[in-house]
Amino acid sequence: MTKLFIIFSIFYSFLATANDTEWDVIYTKASYALNHTKKALSSNNFDHQRYYSEKALEAYLDISEHLETSNDDELKLKIEHTISDLEHAVDAPDWDRGRFYSKRVHANTQELITELDLKAMAIAEN
């Protein structure tokens, strides 16, 4: 009977964590995106700017996938807007336009990390 209870509790804990949003992975991806947008802003070469914007876009697409199970529609909408800005940065016609969108993404990513910090503090308090 105890073996059955242990197996059931392990299975239940697996299901409970499988449905939760992986905030630590999202935070890591947001940190990657912030690092890539910093590099895009500091680059003086249009190709490098586009390359780092593509890397940030990949990170944000991963964030979007991890947020599919979340109920935070406001956060999802912010992620969608940032993805749109990154797509514009990647497909920018010139360096100035790409830099404009990279600045917006940089600011949005800093706000995202702050929101994730606040969520982590709220979870830790409970």
Side-chain angles (χ1 to χ4, degrees):
M1 184 70 177
T2 58
K3 289 181 182 179
L4 183 61
F5 178 73
I6 292 171
I7 291 172
F8 177 73
S9 63
I10 290 172
F11 180 71
Y12 179 75
S13 67
F14 174 73
L15 286 178
T17 57
N19 292 332
D20 290 342
T21 304
E22 298 174 347
W23 295 110
D24 56 338
V25 174
I26 292 171
Y27 193 90
T28 302
K29 294 293 182 180
S31 297
Y32 289 152
L34 182 64
N35 189 26
H36 291 309
T37 55
K38 284 180 183 179
K39 288 181 180 180
L41 286 173
S42 67
S43 67
N44 55 6
N45 182 326
F46 184 54
D47 292 329
H48 290 151
Q49 180 183 3
R50 290 180 62 194
Y51 173 78
Y52 288 118
S53 294
E54 287 174 5
K55 290 295 189 181
L57 178 60
E58 290 173 10
Y60 265 98
L61 291 174
D62 287 344
I63 290 171
S64 178
E65 288 178 18
H66 285 290
L67 281 176
E68 288 178 355
T69 59
S70 174
N71 295 332
D72 193 345
D73 292 332
E74 185 178 330
L75 185 61
K76 288 180 181 180
L77 185 62
K78 287 181 182 181
I79 299 299
E80 288 176 20
H81 289 303
T82 305
I83 288 173
S84 175
D85 286 343
L86 277 166
E87 289 171 344
H88 289 308
V90 169
D91 295 331
D94 58 10
W95 184 81
D96 289 329
R97 182 62 64 172
R99 186 164 173 78
F100 169 78
Y101 285 110
S102 294
K103 284 182 183 180
R104 288 177 58 170
V105 170
H106 186 262
N108 291 344
T109 305
Q110 287 177 324
E111 290 175 13
L112 172 64
I113 289 175
T114 302
E115 285 184 40
L116 294 175
D117 285 338
L118 294 174
K119 283 185 182 291
M121 287 174 46
I123 291 171
E125 289 176 356
N126 292 332

